[in-house]
Amino acid sequence: MSRAERGTGDADDPVAYFLDDITFQGKSQRTRDAYERVLREFEAYLTERGLDLDEANHRDCMAWIHQLRGSVGESTVATYASYLHRFYGYMTEVGTFEENPMALVLEEIDESINVDPERRDIAIPAMRSFVGEVTHPLDRAVVVTLLKTGMRAGELCNLDRRDLSLAETPFEWAHRPQLDGKPDSVYVDEEPSAGHEYNGQRRTASNKRKRATTIPVDDELAAVLVEWLAVRPDPRSDADPLFVSTTDEWGKRLTPDMVHHIVETHARDQGWYRDGGGAEANVTPHYFRHFFTTHLRDRTGDRGIVKYLRGDVAQDIIDTYTHDWGDRVREVYSEHIYRLL
């Protein structure tokens, strides 16, 4: 359906419509300008081929991304692709477009684009030594959870105690139904988003998963979480957040800034963080996701399971791994996850 055929209630200029909405969502002018530049370049590319934005299919998107190579770096290509994906995903969600052609494109380019810069190479023994120096129960729980699950800082902050199931613990709580029959696991939903209420509490961070994921909890992480729960302050929220502050914001759900501060403090002590160091040199929560991905992928040789654990795969693959969770995901994870304690 071309733009001229759309109803009068739809946006005449989809890019402007999208930019207005992300401004209302609190995005900065700098972010808006970056989106506008990329989206207008793609729109011009389509116009030369006689297409409107809502007529582009995944091959049109892939062709534009392919022609970017050689003129910009790979990390920039990945950024541009993410902008298109966000744009199409949003326009599909609000009903202006019928589908998101970038969903398939991102899966196709996932293996060919390195979205991370060349990062510090930390071996498992060195990371084990680093973890050994983290003794505060909250800091230790945060660091080990990030390293053992590969989840993002915001996803960690959004965990409620109901999202955790432990087979052996002196404490009792009701886990969510999605964890029935899956002891020693943590559920990371795709739904929470910043500024919106979820499980009775307005959230300060967004989960960025394509689909909800159930991640196994090994004995090391289980032990660390039990130690944390033994001293966890009473949460301020009825949502019962798993991780709460033990400093000035006593009992308040952790925010991504708090998580970054925890990791940065210990990374500085280790000499793994310096002002102005950038992603290539500094160890951050996102580095832990990179560490998890790299080491687990190398150990398992199974990109599919790693992508499942990261929440980066489409619904059909999610369904496959969800169905085989106990027989495949749990066994592969338990066999190959690195030891840190």
Side-chain angles (χ1 to χ4, degrees):
M1 179 172 57
S2 69
R3 186 182 306 171
E5 296 172 315
R6 287 199 299 265
T8 57
D10 293 320
D12 292 329
D13 184 347
V15 172
Y17 182 94
F18 172 76
L19 294 173
D20 283 347
D21 278 17
I22 66 172
T23 300
F24 298 151
Q25 293 164 12
K27 299 298 182 183
S28 68
Q29 184 63 44
R30 181 178 179 180
T31 298
R32 177 190 168 108
D33 291 345
Y35 270 100
E36 182 168 22
R37 182 179 67 255
V38 172
L39 295 176
R40 292 303 185 192
E41 287 179 7
F42 179 62
E43 185 179 39
Y45 171 85
L46 293 178
T47 299
E48 291 178 358
R49 287 153 182 77
L51 297 171
D52 282 339
L53 285 162
D54 60 351
E55 296 175 303
N57 60 32
H58 81 280
R59 292 182 63 86
D60 298 317
C61 296
M62 181 65 82
W64 182 72
I65 289 170
H66 178 72
Q67 59 92 32
L68 291 174
R69 294 190 175 97
S71 59
V72 297
E74 288 191 346
S75 62
T76 302
V77 172
T79 297
Y80 286 9
S82 71
Y83 285 1
L84 281 188
H85 179 60
R86 171 87 183 272
F87 166 72
Y88 274 109
Y90 184 75
M91 298 307 288
T92 302
E93 185 176 343
V94 299
T96 302
F97 291 174
E98 294 180 0
E99 60 181 355
N100 177 3
M102 283 299 299
L104 179 58
V105 173
L106 284 191
E107 292 179 29
E108 292 176 346
I109 69 175
D110 179 66
E111 300 300 329
S112 62
I113 288 185
N114 176 16
V115 299
D116 289 323
E118 190 67 29
R119 292 180 179 272
R120 180 189 292 272
D121 184 16
I122 299 177
I124 292 173
M127 188 62 78
R128 188 177 298 126
S129 176
F130 169 79
V131 172
E133 297 295 322
V134 182
T135 58
H136 188 283
L138 172 60
D139 296 7
R140 191 172 177 84
V142 165
V143 167
V144 175
T145 299
L146 292 173
L147 283 167
K148 288 280 191 173
T149 66
M151 68 177 67
R152 300 172 177 87
E155 293 169 344
L156 178 141
C157 295
N158 279 325
L159 290 176
D160 295 328
R161 192 161 58 156
R162 67 171 187 164
D163 298 317
L164 176 67
S165 173
L166 295 180
E168 296 185 10
T169 172
F171 314 107
E172 293 185 3
W173 66 87
H175 60 250
R176 58 163 67 234
Q178 291 91 335
L179 293 177
D180 288 348
K182 298 177 181 178
D184 292 320
S185 57
V186 60
Y187 184 84
V188 186
D189 203 352
E190 84 276 16
E191 188 176 332
S193 59
H196 292 81
E197 188 172 294
Y198 177 79
N199 193 26
Q201 184 181 15
R202 186 173 295 275
R203 302 305 170 108
T204 61
S206 298
N207 287 8
K208 299 180 180 179
R209 300 193 162 234
K210 292 183 180 179
R211 295 293 185 272
T213 312
T214 303
I215 304 175
V217 171
D218 74 345
D219 59 332
E220 288 188 341
L221 178 54
V224 168
L225 290 174
V226 168
E227 290 174 0
W228 159 241
L229 289 170
V231 298
R232 182 186 66 147
D234 291 336
R236 295 187 189 179
S237 168
D238 291 338
D240 197 14
L242 181 59
F243 296 105
V244 298
S245 175
T246 59
T247 56
D248 295 341
E249 300 287 352
W250 186 265
K252 177 182 177 182
R253 180 187 297 275
L254 288 191
T255 65
D257 284 345
M258 294 178 185
V259 173
H260 278 266
H261 177 72
I262 289 171
V263 174
E264 177 187 330
T265 297
H266 294 286
R268 282 185 184 275
D269 291 343
Q270 189 73 22
W272 290 351
Y273 193 102
R274 61 179 176 83
D275 293 334
E280 297 86 350
N282 289 344
V283 168
T284 64
H286 190 70
Y287 177 86
F288 290 159
R289 183 169 167 84
H290 164 79
F291 182 91
F292 172 87
T293 301
T294 301
H295 286 283
L296 199 59
R297 186 175 58 201
D298 290 347
R299 284 167 159 248
T300 64
D302 190 331
R303 292 178 178 271
I305 281 185
V306 175
K307 290 174 71 175
Y308 164 81
L309 293 169
R310 285 171 51 94
D312 289 346
V313 294
Q315 185 63 56
D316 56 341
I317 302 177
I318 282 282
D319 289 343
T320 298
Y321 285 111
T322 300
H323 177 73
D324 295 334
W325 191 88
D327 296 333
R328 188 171 184 184
V329 176
R330 167 78 78 185
E331 290 182 3
V332 172
Y333 179 92
S334 298
E335 180 180 354
H336 295 286
I337 190 62
Y338 36 78
R339 308 295 290 179
L340 293 175
L341 304 177

